[in-house]
Each structure stands twice: as structure tokens, then as C-alpha cells.
Amino acid sequence: MHQAPAPSKATRRQHDREIVSLAVPAFGALVAEPLFLLADSAIVGHLGTPQLAGLAIASTLLSTAVSVFVFLAYATTAAVARRVGAGDLPSAIRQGVDGIWLALLLGAGVVALTLPTAPWLVGLFGASDTAAPYATTYLRISILGIPAMLVVLAATGVLRGLQDTKTPLYVAIAGFAANGLLNLGLVYGAGLGIAGSAWGTVIAQVGMAAAYLFVVVRGARRHGASLRPDPAGIRAGAQAGAPLLVRTLSLRAVLMIATAVAARLGDADVAAHQIILSLWSLMAFALDAIAIAGQAIIGRYLGAEDGDGARQVCRRMVQWGVVSGIVLGLLLIVTRPLFIPLFTSDPSVQDTLLPALLVVALFQPVSGVVFVLDGVLMGAGDGRYLAGAMLVTLAVFAPVALLVPTLGGGLTALWGAMTLMMTVRLATLWLRARSGRWIVTGATR
């Protein structure tokens, strides 16, 4: 990191308390989100294989739509945290309200585009004649919940910026419980089948959005912040989010290319790849929780015009990233005899899985630093640099990954390419962090 006064033990302890108090609830909320899909899959799976196949296709489309707009949370967190640091809570909440209005507009656009094109979108996945009707039904109903889901993203960003990650955790837990109960009642109790699962999820999502809006509206009234849509503020939010959208799409492209290459390697390889990708994503939740804490804390320090404090907490969070990566890597290696049989009993898949899994475990400390620095730069509002760095990473990764089958490499070689991708990300983010150019203080960047 760029030179800053060495923090005292008391300062380091203060940083640690802040990181833990924000990261632990954030991790809980992050883990709760994929549990929605698991609950839906468990309930729909008992209806039959075509229904489950339809759910898999529709949920892939829905999760892609939500992940593309995750910038609503990231950009709002940074903008709100800066104003909190500057001591201007009314403006902080006003910024969050603009993000929520932007979420509603984007959600309405997604619904308008998806409803008439749902059969065509399902067809892109090559769904069978038996699964396609179920996928279309689930997609057309559940897409109605997208505006609520995007509001949840934006409102989550508001609360994170206000240094509150506990409320999102409570809302996520309540939403998960409601989703499960509604799905059971509508699928089996009301006999609505897969449509009941979709409606249950939509109702749960709307309920979560309503809970967030209640909290934000209450805060706005308390601090005298306007709730009306402000075109200039909404436009500024979109401009701040655009680079993060590019970053997210580039990262999605990396994952899609990796899966496409694995599919060309053979059935055992793609099965093992899916297992590793699931584990990689689970570990990413833990590391992303630290990154979320970074977004909130860094934004607050910069808003308070404390550049040295931002450097110090950045350094401390990098240490957290390294240690967390080491712990996760060791856990992956030590527990592999326990979890591998849970995923597959096929010896060929297990043999293919093991060496690639060891590569992933060894590079977890790198992943830890990458996630932390990603969060630090997001918190600083350095979206344009993050977009450019991710495009460079994609440009390096794509040809290397696509050469794996041509050169006769297997899954371990593919995950070697994935570690190259993370190493390039580390290099670009580390250079930016060391330069100090991300440190722009004040209530706005």
C-alpha cells in the first residue's frame, strides 16, 4: 500500500471490530440468497423431472438478470458511505432513494422485455419439449418479482453505506422462511405446481422489498430527505453504475467461457468443473463479505476526508484477505475426503476433480486479496478503473482458456487458466491500490 502512518494496536483492533461487525452479517445475508433457489429446487423436484429441468433453465435466466444489476448495491454503498463520512445523513439517504428509483425503472424495463420473449429465451437453452412449458411458466411469473429484487439490491446498498449489515441479514432470513412456507403452501396445498413456486418466490421478494422500503422511508422522514424521484440523481446513479456493469459482465463472460471449455473436455470434466465452481462460489461468499465491509468502511473514511485512515484500513483488510484465503484453502484440502463423496460417487469424476481442487485451494490467498481490493476500490467509487482492469483480465484469460482443449489440457489446466485470471486481477488491483490514485476524498468523488 501507499505509505501511511503505521496504525497503533488500538487502531488495528478498532479496524478489526468494524470489519467483523459488518462482514459477519453480510456473509449471512449472502448465503441466504442461494438458499432461495435450493428451497425452490427441493420443493419443485418432487413434482417431476421436467418441472425441475424447467426450474433450472428459468432460474439461470433470473439469476443472470439479477447479477447483471448487482451494481445497484455496489454503487449505492459507496455513494451513501461517502456522505455518511462527510456527516450529511440527509444527502446520504437521498442518494439511496435515487438508487431505489433507478432499480424500479430498470426492473420495469426487464419485465417489459422478458414477458413477451420468455419462450424464445427458454428456447436458447435448448430446453426439451417437456421442460420448456414449465420453464416458460416459471419465468413469466417470477420475472414479475425482478423490480422487487432490484429494489432489494439498491436498498441493501443504502443500509450497507449507512454501516448497517444486520438489517439485510434479518430481512434475508425472514424472506427465506417466507419463501419456503409459501412455496410449500402454493405448490402442494393449493395444487398450483411450478406456478405456485414462482408465485411464492415473487410474494417473498415483494415482502423483502417492502421491509427495506419501510426502513429507508422511516430514515428519510427522520432526516428530512425527499422521497420524490430526482432525474439528475437517478442519472448520476446510472452513470456511476455503468462501469461496474461492464466489470460484472466481463466477470460473467469469464465464468461462461470456463464452463463452455469444460463441456468440450468431456462429461467427467464438466461434472467435476461444476462441483469445483460450486465450492469456489461458496468460498467467494465468505471473501465477498469482507469486500462488502471494505466498500462501506472505505467510503466512510474518504467521505470524512481521512485519506490516511483509508490507507490504513485498506492495508488491514488485505491482511484479512490473505488470512481468510489461507484458512479457506486449508479447509478445502482437509475436508475434501468428506465432501467429495457427497457430490459424486463416480471414480472418474473424483480423479478428475482432485488435482484441480488442489490448484483452487492453493490460490485462495490470492482470491482473498483480490476480493478485498475489489471492495476497497468499489468503496472509493473507482468504477472506471475496475471496468478497464476486468476487460484486460478477460482479454488475457479468454485465449488461454480456449487453447486448453486444443493443446490437450484437462480440467486442471482449465483451472490453471482460472488462477491466471485471478493473478491478472491481483496485479491490476494491487498496482492501483499502491498508486493511491483511488484516494479521492470528499462527499462526492
Side-chain angles (χ1 to χ4, degrees):
M1 300 297 102
H2 197 273
Q3 286 300 313
S8 65
K9 285 185 177 180
T11 300
R12 287 197 299 271
R13 283 198 296 270
Q14 178 190 346
H15 290 160
D16 290 345
R17 282 195 298 270
E18 278 192 312
I19 292 166
V20 170
S21 67
L22 290 171
V24 171
F27 175 70
L30 288 168
V31 170
E33 291 175 19
L35 291 178
F36 269 72
L37 180 57
L38 283 176
D40 288 3
S41 299
I43 293 166
V44 171
H46 291 286
L47 293 173
T49 300
Q51 288 91 332
L52 185 58
L55 172 67
I57 293 167
S59 62
T60 299
L61 287 163
L62 289 163
S63 62
T64 299
V66 173
S67 66
V68 162
F69 294 114
V70 74
F71 71 83
L72 288 165
Y74 295 158
T76 305
T77 298
V80 171
R82 273 185 177 271
R83 286 161 176 78
V84 169
D88 189 353
L89 278 176
S91 291
I93 295 171
R94 173 69 254 185
Q95 184 75 32
V97 169
D98 290 337
I100 290 171
W101 279 111
L102 176 60
L104 283 170
L105 289 172
L106 291 171
V110 172
V111 172
L113 287 172
T114 306
L115 280 177
T117 59
W120 176 76
L121 290 169
V122 168
L124 289 177
F125 281 77
S128 68
D129 292 340
T130 53
Y134 293 113
T136 303
T137 296
Y138 190 93
L139 182 60
R140 277 187 164 155
I141 296 171
S142 56
I143 203 69
L144 299 175
I146 284 290
M149 278 305 298
L150 298 191
V151 166
V152 167
L153 284 177
T156 300
V158 177
L159 296 180
R160 288 173 181 170
L162 293 170
Q163 317 296 297
D164 175 11
T165 56
K166 290 182 180 178
T167 300
L169 172 61
Y170 300 148
V171 174
I173 292 171
F176 170 69
N179 180 65
L181 292 172
L182 285 164
N183 269 254
L184 283 171
L186 294 173
V187 171
Y188 296 111
L192 295 180
I194 195 169
S197 176
W199 281 118
T201 301
V202 168
I203 294 168
Q205 290 166 344
V206 170
M208 290 172 68
Y212 276 116
L213 288 174
F214 173 80
V215 173
V216 172
V217 168
R218 186 179 59 183
R221 287 176 175 167
R222 183 185 303 142
H223 296 285
S226 173
L227 293 169
R228 294 179 180 176
D230 175 18
I234 294 170
R235 188 164 53 250
Q239 289 170 347
L244 295 179
L245 175 61
V246 172
R247 167 203 167 272
T248 301
L249 289 173
S250 301
L251 185 55
R252 294 290 297 186
V254 165
L255 298 177
M256 288 173 68
I257 289 169
T259 300
V261 169
R264 292 172 61 188
L265 297 175
D267 289 349
D269 292 87
V270 75
H273 174 74
Q274 185 57 38
I275 294 168
I276 295 175
L277 198 58
S278 299
L279 293 166
W280 193 69
S281 299
L282 180 62
M283 291 185 293
F285 282 129
L287 299 175
D288 203 26
I290 303 172
I292 286 168
Q295 292 171 33
I297 296 170
I298 291 293
R300 195 187 76 232
Y301 271 95
L302 294 178
E305 301 195 11
D306 186 357
D308 285 341
R311 289 190 188 95
Q312 289 177 2
V313 78
C314 176
R315 184 186 296 118
R316 189 60 174 167
M317 295 197 75
V318 166
Q319 294 168 355
W320 269 81
V322 171
V323 172
S324 299
I326 291 171
V327 170
L328 288 172
L330 289 173
L331 276 173
L332 200 61
I333 292 171
V334 171
T335 61
R336 70 187 190 281
L338 300 175
F339 66 75
I340 288 179
L342 295 177
F343 284 102
T344 179
S345 57
D346 187 334
S348 64
V349 175
Q350 291 183 356
D351 291 344
T352 305
L353 174 69
L354 191 56
L357 194 66
L358 293 176
V359 170
V360 173
L362 289 172
F363 270 79
Q364 278 307 295
V366 170
S367 296
V369 178
V370 166
F371 273 81
V372 164
L373 292 180
D374 210 34
V376 166
L377 297 184
M378 281 185 193
D382 205 9
R384 289 182 66 181
Y385 183 85
L386 288 170
M390 199 63 223
L391 286 171
V392 169
T393 302
L394 175 60
V396 173
F397 168 78
V400 173
L402 293 171
L403 278 173
V404 168
T406 306
L407 298 177
L411 189 66
T412 304
L414 175 58
W415 275 92
M418 289 288 283
T419 61
L420 171 65
M421 179 271 293
M422 293 300 288
T423 304
V424 173
R425 289 187 73 190
L426 174 64
T428 55
L429 297 175
W430 184 263
L431 287 172
R432 186 65 166 182
R434 282 190 63 85
S435 74
R437 292 177 185 172
W438 55 278
I439 301 176
V440 180
T441 59
T444 57
R445 183 176 171 82

